Amino acid sequence: MTTLQLDNAWTLVAAVATILLGMRIHRACPALDRANIPPAVSAGLLLSVLLALLRAGGIVDLRLAAAPRDVLLLVFFASLGFGAHLGRLATAGRGALVICLAVVLVAVGQNLAGMLLASAFGQPAALGLFAGSAAYLGGHGTATAWASAAPVEGALEVGLGSATLGLVLGGLVAGPVAAWLARRGDGGSGVADAAGLPVPHADAHDAAAPVRASPFSSDRWLLPLLGLLACVAAGPQLRALLAAQGWQAPTFLLVLLAAVVLTNGVDAARRPFDTEATDLVGTLALRIFLALAMLALDWAELAGQLPLLLSGALVQVLVTAAVGLAVVYTLFGRGREGAVACGGFIGFSMGAMPIGLAVMRRLQATFGDAPRAMLAITLAASLFTDTANALILTALLRWLGVA
């Protein structure tokens, strides 16, 4: 079998081509757009199956470079930080608490469901944690880290398999559920103009904002791009500095925090960044990241634990959707904001933060802006999820006598 290792440049070419293919697929099948499924997920899922068949047939093994995906994730989280203005926290305070509550409930629910399912299949209950929040709420990195820390046979395979299925299901389930909620109306929480269209959310600086240059002017891009790249560069250095003091923190979180500090610093100096530019850069990074994540799926490796994995995926969809509907949508105030928050919550709780944010952005493009939902999900999920998940996993592993 021929092994084809793509370098960084060709990996990016493959990702962008995947997105363009997804856009063509959506034009041919408008139902995918109506379901708010990102084109990168649609085409990436199709291509990952095709690549798995080629690999299983001994024809070719296509491997992507890992570096672009890591960098794109940092760029995306830096762009999120530039949108987290502390002056707007008052409007997201209650929403952020709702998301934190939902994160705790979904972590406990996913783990209990995983433990019961593993026991039903005759496996150790501890293995169920890797079909629970270690994989779904945590993702591939968290599942791998916990599998190396906990001496549970099969944990790595189940964790990676569950995280992979969660990545797919997060994009496939969150959009349709949230779109259904938004179309229900339920009184709507958004403001509409006389024609019934959403009124754009006004920025605090809009009234005094100068006339902007063309979006294609390089002068307009230089300062925001400098700030974004500085935060991405600072992330690994901050992580090493904290590690030397005995503190562990993910690089993407430190990049986000650096961007939050920087953007609020320039806000205080009354020289705000052009967030339209940073948002566009972050959106592009997000779309390419999703395409790379989907292309990297290896379905052949999932075969060994397929019954447990598929059963777990179905159960976790029900658990996560139930928490999203009963807690996030209800307590967030229903309407458009509640629907968008529910979609984002299901997306990141099943798959990954970028999937949740991608679902939310597509929902906003369809139904109108939901600034409270975006801010609450961005801050609460990014800053709270990893810590809460780690504490819950530690407590359950100790209770089971594994750690």
Side-chain angles (χ1 to χ4, degrees):
M1 179 171 60
T2 302
T3 299
L4 183 58
Q5 175 68 60
L6 300 186
D7 61 15
N8 293 337
W10 280 109
T11 295
L12 292 174
V13 169
V16 175
T18 299
I19 297 171
L20 292 174
L21 175 61
M23 294 169 63
R24 286 184 174 272
I25 292 174
H26 280 227
R27 283 197 291 269
C29 185
L32 294 172
D33 257 338
R34 290 195 296 271
N36 294 283
I37 297 172
V41 172
S42 304
L45 179 60
L46 177 64
L47 291 176
S48 68
V49 173
L50 176 60
L51 291 174
L53 292 175
L54 292 174
R55 191 179 302 112
I59 299 173
V60 65
D61 182 11
L62 181 67
R63 299 180 181 179
L64 305 175
R69 189 168 65 176
D70 297 338
V71 173
L72 288 167
L73 186 61
L74 296 182
V75 170
F76 171 63
F77 273 96
S79 73
L80 289 183
F82 283 115
H85 301 274
L86 293 178
R88 301 176 186 172
L89 279 178
T91 62
R94 179 176 177 271
L97 290 177
V98 169
I99 302 303
C100 289
L101 172 63
V103 164
V104 172
L105 292 176
V106 83
V108 173
Q110 286 181 354
N111 286 322
L112 291 178
M115 290 162 61
L116 291 173
L117 196 61
S119 298
F121 276 91
Q123 303 278 11
L127 185 63
L129 301 179
F130 297 90
S133 74
Y136 286 97
L137 186 62
H140 288 81
T142 301
T144 303
W146 281 101
S148 62
V152 180
E153 185 177 355
L156 181 61
E157 291 76 15
V158 171
L160 290 179
S162 297
T164 299
L165 287 173
L167 193 65
V168 176
L169 293 171
L172 294 178
V173 174
V177 170
W180 172 71
L181 291 174
R183 291 191 179 99
R184 288 181 62 200
D186 212 5
S189 61
V191 182
D193 62 14
L197 298 175
V199 175
H201 180 70
D203 191 290
H205 303 286
D206 283 350
V211 177
R212 290 178 171 175
S214 165
F216 298 103
S217 169
S218 60
D219 289 344
R220 177 177 175 182
W221 285 79
L222 287 175
L223 185 58
L225 190 59
L226 173 63
L228 190 148
L229 292 176
C231 292
V232 170
Q237 295 180 334
L238 291 173
R239 186 173 187 272
L241 183 62
L242 289 176
Q245 304 300 318
W247 294 85
Q248 296 296 328
T251 303
F252 74 84
L253 178 58
L254 297 174
V255 168
L256 184 145
L257 290 175
V260 169
V261 171
L262 182 57
T263 194
N264 284 281
V266 296
D267 282 354
R270 299 185 181 277
R271 299 295 298 271
F273 276 125
D274 185 348
T275 54
E276 186 176 349
T278 57
D279 184 65
L280 179 56
V281 173
T283 300
L284 287 172
L286 169 63
R287 298 184 71 179
I288 297 172
F289 170 84
L290 280 178
L292 291 176
M294 297 303 300
L295 287 174
L297 297 179
D298 189 350
W299 296 99
E301 293 186 1
L302 307 179
Q305 296 279 2
L306 201 55
L308 174 60
L309 291 172
L310 293 179
S311 301
L314 175 60
V315 170
Q316 299 301 359
V317 165
L318 297 177
V319 169
T320 307
V323 174
L325 291 168
V327 178
V328 177
Y329 180 64
T330 302
L331 297 183
F332 216 89
R334 301 176 179 267
R336 183 175 65 218
E337 291 275 5
V340 172
C342 182
F345 172 78
I346 294 173
F348 85 76
S349 296
M350 284 296 301
M353 257 306 273
I355 287 183
L357 271 296
V359 169
M360 294 178 76
R361 291 189 180 194
R362 290 187 66 80
L363 286 166
Q364 287 188 113
T366 303
F367 299 105
D369 288 344
R372 282 198 308 117
M374 285 293 294
L375 187 58
I377 290 287
T378 299
L379 294 180
S382 298
L383 302 179
F384 180 75
T385 300
D386 287 333
T387 301
N389 199 21
L391 292 174
I392 291 170
L393 286 169
T394 299
L396 288 173
L397 285 170
R398 288 181 176 175
W399 179 60
L400 293 170
V402 177

